[in-house]
Coordinates of all heavy atoms in Angstrom, one line a residue:
M1 N 94.9 100.4 98.7 CA 96.3 99.9 99.0 C 97.2 100.4 97.9 O 97.0 100.1 96.7 CB 96.3 98.4 99.2 CG 97.6 97.9 99.7 SD 97.6 96.1 100.0 CE 96.5 95.9 101.4
S2 N 98.3 101.1 98.3 CA 99.2 101.6 97.2 C 100.4 100.8 97.1 O 101.2 101.0 96.1 CB 99.5 103.1 97.6 OG 100.2 103.1 98.8
E3 N 100.7 100.0 98.0 CA 101.9 99.2 97.9 C 101.6 97.7 97.9 O 100.5 97.3 98.3 CB 102.9 99.4 99.0 CG 102.5 98.9 100.4 CD 103.6 99.2 101.4 OE1 104.5 99.9 101.2 OE2 103.5 98.6 102.5
T4 N 102.5 96.9 97.3 CA 102.3 95.5 97.2 C 103.0 94.8 98.4 O 104.2 95.1 98.8 CB 102.9 94.9 95.9 OG1 102.3 95.6 94.9 CG2 102.7 93.5 95.8
L5 N 102.3 93.9 99.1 CA 102.8 93.2 100.2 C 102.9 91.7 99.9 O 101.8 91.1 99.5 CB 101.9 93.5 101.4 CG 102.4 92.9 102.8 CD1 103.6 93.7 103.2 CD2 101.3 93.1 103.8
I6 N 104.0 91.1 100.0 CA 104.2 89.7 99.7 C 104.6 89.0 101.0 O 105.6 89.4 101.7 CB 105.3 89.5 98.7 CG1 104.9 90.2 97.4 CG2 105.4 88.0 98.4 CD1 106.0 90.2 96.3
T7 N 103.8 88.1 101.4 CA 104.0 87.4 102.7 C 104.2 85.9 102.5 O 103.2 85.2 102.0 CB 102.8 87.6 103.7 OG1 102.6 89.0 103.8 CG2 103.1 87.0 105.1
P8 N 105.4 85.3 102.8 CA 105.5 83.9 102.8 C 104.8 83.3 104.0 O 105.1 83.6 105.2 CB 107.0 83.6 102.9 CG 107.7 85.0 102.9 CD 106.6 86.0 103.2
Y9 N 103.7 82.5 103.8 CA 103.0 81.9 104.9 C 103.8 80.6 105.3 O 104.2 79.8 104.5 CB 101.6 81.5 104.5 CG 100.7 82.7 104.8 CD1 100.8 83.9 104.3 CD2 99.7 82.5 105.8 CE1 100.0 85.0 104.6 CE2 98.8 83.6 106.1 CZ 99.0 84.8 105.6 OH 98.2 85.9 105.9
R10 N 103.8 80.5 106.6 CA 104.5 79.3 107.2 C 103.9 78.0 106.6 O 102.7 77.8 106.7 CB 104.4 79.3 108.7 CG 105.2 78.2 109.4 CD 105.2 78.4 110.9 NE 105.8 79.7 111.3 CZ 105.0 80.8 111.8 NH1 103.7 80.7 111.9 NH2 105.6 81.9 112.1
D11 N 104.8 77.2 106.0 CA 104.4 75.9 105.5 C 103.3 76.0 104.4 O 102.5 75.1 104.1 CB 103.8 74.9 106.5 CG 104.8 74.8 107.7 OD1 106.0 74.9 107.5 OD2 104.3 74.5 108.8
G12 N 103.3 77.2 103.7 CA 102.3 77.5 102.7 C 102.7 78.4 101.6 O 103.9 78.5 101.4
P13 N 101.8 79.0 101.0 CA 102.1 79.8 99.8 C 102.6 81.2 100.1 O 102.8 81.6 101.2 CB 100.7 80.0 99.2 CG 99.8 80.0 100.3 CD 100.3 79.0 101.3
L14 N 102.9 81.9 99.0 CA 103.3 83.3 99.1 C 102.0 84.1 98.9 O 101.3 83.9 97.8 CB 104.3 83.7 98.0 CG 105.6 83.1 98.0 CD1 106.4 83.4 96.8 CD2 106.4 83.5 99.3
L15 N 101.6 84.9 99.8 CA 100.4 85.7 99.7 C 100.8 87.1 99.1 O 101.6 87.7 99.7 CB 99.6 85.8 101.0 CG 98.1 85.8 100.8 CD1 97.6 84.5 100.4 CD2 97.4 86.2 102.1
V16 N 100.2 87.4 98.0 CA 100.5 88.7 97.4 C 99.2 89.6 97.5 O 98.2 89.2 97.0 CB 100.9 88.6 95.9 CG1 101.2 89.9 95.3 CG2 102.0 87.5 95.7
R17 N 99.4 90.8 98.1 CA 98.3 91.7 98.3 C 98.7 93.0 97.8 O 99.8 93.5 98.0 CB 98.0 91.9 99.8 CG 97.6 90.7 100.6 CD 97.3 91.1 102.0 NE 97.0 90.0 102.9 CZ 97.8 89.4 103.7 NH1 99.0 89.8 103.9 NH2 97.4 88.4 104.4
G18 N 97.7 93.7 97.1 CA 98.0 95.0 96.6 C 98.1 95.0 95.1 O 97.8 94.0 94.5
P19 N 98.4 96.2 94.6 CA 98.5 96.3 93.1 C 99.7 95.5 92.6 O 100.8 95.7 93.1 CB 98.6 97.8 92.9 CG 99.2 98.4 94.1 CD 98.7 97.5 95.3
F20 N 99.5 94.7 91.6 CA 100.6 93.9 91.0 C 100.1 93.4 89.7 O 98.9 93.4 89.4 CB 101.0 92.7 91.9 CG 99.9 91.7 92.1 CD1 99.8 90.6 91.1 CD2 99.0 91.7 93.1 CE1 98.8 89.7 91.3 CE2 98.0 90.8 93.2 CZ 97.9 89.8 92.3
R21 N 101.1 93.0 88.9 CA 100.8 92.3 87.6 C 101.5 91.0 87.7 O 102.7 91.0 88.1 CB 101.3 93.1 86.4 CG 100.5 94.4 86.1 CD 101.1 95.2 85.0 NE 101.2 94.4 83.8 CZ 102.3 94.3 83.0 NH1 103.4 95.0 83.3 NH2 102.3 93.6 81.9
L22 N 100.9 89.9 87.2 CA 101.5 88.6 87.2 C 101.7 88.3 85.7 O 100.8 88.3 84.9 CB 100.6 87.6 87.9 CG 101.2 86.2 88.1 CD1 102.5 86.2 88.9 CD2 100.2 85.3 88.7
V23 N 103.0 88.0 85.3 CA 103.3 87.7 83.9 C 104.1 86.4 83.9 O 104.8 86.1 84.9 CB 104.0 88.8 83.2 CG1 103.2 90.1 83.1 CG2 105.4 89.1 83.9
D24 N 104.0 85.7 82.8 CA 104.8 84.5 82.7 C 106.2 84.9 82.2 O 106.5 86.1 82.0 CB 104.2 83.4 81.8 CG 104.1 83.8 80.3 OD1 104.8 84.8 79.9 OD2 103.3 83.2 79.6
Q25 N 107.1 83.9 82.0 CA 108.5 84.2 81.6 C 108.6 84.9 80.3 O 109.6 85.6 80.0 CB 109.2 82.8 81.5 CG 110.7 82.9 81.5 CD 111.3 81.6 81.7 OE1 110.7 80.6 82.0 NE2 112.6 81.5 81.4
D26 N 107.6 84.8 79.4 CA 107.6 85.4 78.1 C 106.9 86.8 78.2 O 106.7 87.4 77.1 CB 106.9 84.6 77.1 CG 107.6 83.2 76.9 OD1 108.9 83.3 76.9 OD2 107.0 82.2 76.8
G27 N 106.5 87.2 79.4 CA 105.8 88.5 79.5 C 104.3 88.5 79.3 O 103.7 89.6 79.3
N28 N 103.7 87.3 79.1 CA 102.3 87.2 78.9 C 101.6 87.4 80.3 O 102.0 86.8 81.2 CB 101.9 85.9 78.3 CG 102.6 85.7 77.0 OD1 102.4 86.5 76.1 ND2 103.3 84.6 76.8
E29 N 100.6 88.2 80.2 CA 99.8 88.5 81.4 C 99.1 87.2 81.9 O 98.5 86.5 81.1 CB 98.8 89.6 81.1 CG 98.2 90.2 82.3 CD 99.0 91.4 82.9 OE1 99.7 92.0 82.1 OE2 98.8 91.8 84.0
I30 N 99.1 87.0 83.2 CA 98.3 85.9 83.8 C 97.2 86.6 84.6 O 97.5 87.3 85.6 CB 99.2 85.0 84.7 CG1 100.3 84.3 83.9 CG2 98.3 84.0 85.5 CD1 101.4 83.6 84.8
D31 N 96.0 86.3 84.2 CA 94.9 87.0 84.8 C 94.6 86.4 86.1 O 94.3 85.2 86.2 CB 93.6 86.9 83.9 CG 92.4 87.6 84.5 OD1 92.6 88.6 85.3 OD2 91.3 87.3 84.1
T32 N 94.6 87.2 87.2 CA 94.3 86.7 88.5 C 92.9 87.0 88.9 O 92.3 86.4 89.7 CB 95.3 87.3 89.6 OG1 95.1 88.7 89.6 CG2 96.7 87.0 89.2
G33 N 92.4 88.1 88.4 CA 91.0 88.5 88.6 C 90.8 89.1 90.1 O 89.6 89.2 90.5
R34 N 91.8 89.3 90.8 CA 91.7 89.8 92.1 C 92.9 90.5 92.6 O 94.0 90.4 92.0 CB 91.3 88.7 93.1 CG 92.3 87.5 93.1 CD 91.8 86.4 94.0 NE 91.1 85.4 93.3 CZ 91.1 84.2 93.6 NH1 91.6 83.8 94.7 NH2 90.5 83.3 92.9
E35 N 92.8 91.2 93.7 CA 94.0 91.9 94.3 C 94.8 91.2 95.3 O 95.8 91.6 95.7 CB 93.5 93.2 94.9 CG 93.2 94.3 93.9 CD 93.2 95.7 94.5 OE1 93.5 95.8 95.7 OE2 92.9 96.7 93.8
T36 N 94.3 90.0 95.7 CA 95.1 89.2 96.6 C 95.1 87.8 96.0 O 94.1 87.2 95.6 CB 94.4 89.1 98.0 OG1 94.3 90.4 98.5 CG2 95.2 88.2 98.9
V37 N 96.3 87.2 95.9 CA 96.5 85.9 95.4 C 97.5 85.1 96.2 O 98.4 85.7 96.8 CB 96.9 85.8 93.9 CG1 95.9 86.4 93.0 CG2 98.3 86.4 93.7
A38 N 97.3 83.8 96.2 CA 98.3 82.9 96.9 C 99.1 82.2 95.8 O 98.5 81.5 95.0 CB 97.5 81.9 97.8
L39 N 100.4 82.4 95.8 CA 101.2 81.7 94.8 C 101.9 80.5 95.4 O 102.4 80.6 96.5 CB 102.3 82.7 94.3 CG 101.8 83.9 93.6 CD1 103.0 84.8 93.2 CD2 101.0 83.6 92.4
C40 N 101.8 79.4 94.7 CA 102.4 78.2 95.2 C 103.9 78.3 95.4 O 104.6 78.8 94.5 CB 102.1 77.0 94.3 SG 102.8 75.4 94.7
R41 N 104.4 77.8 96.5 CA 105.9 77.7 96.7 C 106.3 76.3 97.0 O 107.5 76.0 97.2 CB 106.4 78.8 97.6 CG 106.1 78.6 99.1 CD 106.9 79.6 99.9 NE 106.5 79.6 101.2 CZ 107.2 79.9 102.3 NH1 108.5 80.2 102.1 NH2 106.7 79.8 103.5
C42 N 105.3 75.4 97.1 CA 105.7 74.0 97.4 C 106.0 73.2 96.0 O 106.6 72.2 96.0 CB 104.6 73.2 98.1 SG 103.2 72.8 97.2
G43 N 105.5 73.8 94.9 CA 105.7 73.2 93.6 C 104.7 72.1 93.2 O 104.9 71.5 92.2
K44 N 103.8 71.8 94.1 CA 102.9 70.6 93.8 C 101.5 71.0 93.4 O 100.6 70.1 93.2 CB 102.9 69.7 95.0 CG 104.2 69.1 95.4 CD 104.7 68.2 94.3 CE 106.1 67.6 94.7 NZ 106.7 66.9 93.6
S45 N 101.1 72.3 93.4 CA 99.8 72.7 93.0 C 99.4 72.2 91.6 O 100.3 72.2 90.7 CB 99.7 74.2 93.1 OG 98.4 74.6 92.6
R46 N 98.2 71.9 91.4 CA 97.7 71.6 90.1 C 97.2 72.9 89.4 O 96.7 72.8 88.2 CB 96.6 70.5 90.1 CG 97.2 69.2 90.5 CD 96.1 68.3 91.0 NE 95.7 68.8 92.3 CZ 94.8 68.2 93.1 NH1 94.2 67.1 92.7 NH2 94.5 68.7 94.2
L47 N 97.3 74.0 90.0 CA 96.9 75.3 89.5 C 98.0 76.3 89.4 O 97.8 77.5 89.5 CB 95.7 75.9 90.3 CG 94.5 75.0 90.4 CD1 93.5 75.7 91.4 CD2 93.8 74.9 89.1
R48 N 99.2 75.8 89.3 CA 100.4 76.7 89.3 C 100.2 77.8 88.3 O 99.7 77.5 87.2 CB 101.7 75.9 89.1 CG 102.1 75.2 90.3 CD 103.3 74.4 90.0 NE 103.0 73.3 89.1 CZ 103.9 72.3 88.8 NH1 105.1 72.3 89.3 NH2 103.5 71.4 87.9
P49 N 100.5 79.0 88.6 CA 101.4 79.4 89.7 C 100.6 79.6 91.0 O 101.1 80.1 92.0 CB 102.0 80.7 89.3 CG 101.0 81.3 88.4 CD 100.3 80.2 87.7
F50 N 99.3 79.3 91.0 CA 98.5 79.5 92.2 C 98.5 78.3 93.2 O 98.6 77.2 92.7 CB 97.0 79.9 91.8 CG 97.0 81.0 90.8 CD1 96.7 80.8 89.5 CD2 97.3 82.3 91.2 CE1 96.6 81.8 88.5 CE2 97.2 83.3 90.3 CZ 96.9 83.1 88.9
C51 N 98.3 78.6 94.4 CA 98.2 77.6 95.4 C 96.8 77.0 95.4 O 95.8 77.7 95.2 CB 98.4 78.3 96.8 SG 98.0 77.2 98.2
D52 N 96.7 75.7 95.5 CA 95.4 75.0 95.5 C 95.3 74.2 96.8 O 94.3 73.4 97.0 CB 95.2 74.1 94.3 CG 96.1 72.8 94.4 OD1 97.0 72.8 95.3 OD2 96.0 72.0 93.5
G53 N 96.1 74.4 97.8 CA 96.0 73.8 99.1 C 96.8 72.5 99.2 O 96.8 71.9 100.3
T54 N 97.4 72.0 98.1 CA 98.1 70.7 98.1 C 99.2 70.7 99.1 O 99.6 69.7 99.6 CB 98.6 70.4 96.7 OG1 97.5 70.3 95.8 CG2 99.4 69.1 96.7
H55 N 99.8 71.9 99.4 CA 100.9 72.0 100.4 C 100.5 71.3 101.7 O 101.3 70.7 102.4 CB 101.3 73.4 100.6 CG 100.3 74.3 101.2 ND1 99.4 75.0 100.4 CD2 99.9 74.6 102.4 CE1 98.6 75.7 101.1 NE2 98.8 75.4 102.4
N56 N 99.2 71.3 102.1 CA 98.8 70.7 103.3 C 98.9 69.2 103.2 O 99.3 68.5 104.1 CB 97.3 71.1 103.6 CG 97.2 72.5 104.1 OD1 98.0 72.9 104.9 ND2 96.2 73.2 103.6
L57 N 98.5 68.6 102.0 CA 98.5 67.2 101.8 C 99.9 66.6 101.8 O 100.1 65.5 102.3 CB 97.8 66.8 100.5 CG 96.4 67.2 100.3 CD1 95.9 66.9 98.9 CD2 95.5 66.4 101.3
I58 N 100.9 67.4 101.3 CA 102.2 66.9 101.2 C 103.1 67.3 102.4 O 104.3 67.0 102.5 CB 102.9 67.3 99.9 CG1 103.1 68.8 99.9 CG2 102.2 66.8 98.7 CD1 104.0 69.3 98.8
R59 N 102.4 68.0 103.3 CA 103.1 68.5 104.6 C 104.3 69.3 104.2 O 105.4 69.1 104.8 CB 103.4 67.3 105.5 CG 102.2 66.6 105.9 CD 102.4 65.4 106.8 NE 101.2 64.7 107.0 CZ 101.0 63.9 108.0 NH1 102.0 63.7 108.8 NH2 99.8 63.3 108.1
F60 N 104.1 70.2 103.3 CA 105.2 71.1 102.9 C 105.7 71.9 104.2 O 104.9 72.4 105.0 CB 104.7 72.1 101.9 CG 105.7 73.2 101.5 CD1 106.8 72.9 100.8 CD2 105.4 74.5 101.8 CE1 107.7 73.9 100.4 CE2 106.3 75.5 101.4 CZ 107.4 75.2 100.7
K61 N 107.0 72.1 104.3 CA 107.5 72.8 105.5 C 108.4 73.9 105.0 O 109.3 73.7 104.2 CB 108.4 71.9 106.4 CG 107.5 70.8 107.0 CD 106.6 71.4 108.1 CE 105.8 70.3 108.7 NZ 104.6 70.9 109.3
A62 N 108.1 75.1 105.4 CA 109.0 76.3 105.1 C 108.7 77.3 106.2 O 107.5 77.5 106.6 CB 108.8 76.8 103.7
P63 N 109.7 78.1 106.5 CA 109.4 79.2 107.5 C 108.7 80.3 106.9 O 108.7 80.5 105.6 CB 110.8 79.6 108.0 CG 111.7 79.2 106.8 CD 111.1 78.0 106.2
S64 N 108.1 81.2 107.7 CA 107.5 82.4 107.2 C 108.6 83.4 106.9 O 108.6 84.2 106.0 CB 106.5 83.0 108.2 OG 106.0 84.2 107.7
G65 N 109.6 83.5 107.8 CA 110.7 84.4 107.6 C 111.8 83.9 106.7 O 111.7 82.8 106.2
A66 N 112.8 84.7 106.5 CA 114.0 84.3 105.7 C 114.8 83.1 106.3 O 114.9 83.1 107.6 CB 114.9 85.5 105.4
E67 N 115.2 82.2 105.5 CA 116.1 81.1 106.0 C 117.5 81.7 106.2 O 117.9 82.5 105.4 CB 116.1 80.0 105.1 CG 114.7 79.3 105.0 CD 114.7 78.0 104.3 OE1 115.4 77.1 104.9 OE2 114.0 77.8 103.4
Q68 N 118.2 81.2 107.2 CA 119.5 81.7 107.4 C 120.5 81.2 106.4 O 120.3 80.1 105.8 CB 120.0 81.1 108.8 CG 119.1 81.6 109.9 CD 119.1 83.1 110.1 OE1 120.2 83.8 110.0 NE2 118.0 83.7 110.2
G69 N 121.5 82.0 106.1 CA 122.5 81.7 105.2 C 122.2 81.9 103.7 O 123.0 81.5 102.8
R70 N 121.1 82.5 103.4 CA 120.7 82.7 102.0 C 120.4 84.2 101.8 O 119.5 84.8 102.5 CB 119.5 81.9 101.6 CG 118.9 82.2 100.3 CD 119.2 81.1 99.3 NE 118.4 81.3 98.1 CZ 119.0 81.6 97.0 NH1 120.3 81.7 96.9 NH2 118.3 81.8 95.9
A71 N 121.1 84.9 101.0 CA 120.9 86.2 100.6 C 120.4 86.3 99.2 O 120.8 85.5 98.4 CB 122.1 87.1 100.8
A72 N 119.6 87.3 98.9 CA 119.1 87.5 97.6 C 120.1 87.9 96.6 O 121.1 88.4 96.8 CB 118.0 88.5 97.5
Ligands
FES101 S1 102.0 76.3 98.4 FE1 99.9 75.7 98.3 S2 99.8 74.2 96.8 FE2 101.9 74.8 96.8

């Protein structure tokens, strides 16, 4: 896979597939050990920045597509 694909899962994490580097705010590498990772977007994971499934327990709600009225 030559490109990176990021998919917001409905009511769940951001799934990142393909070649990428994950670094913290100071530029320190965060070892993922794999080519596909789920990044928490509910904010409640105990393994941030990774998803640990807590979004299911808290019934996190978010669309898969872009929300209306918000541009990058
Ligand atoms: S999105 Fe899964 S724990 Fe936050």
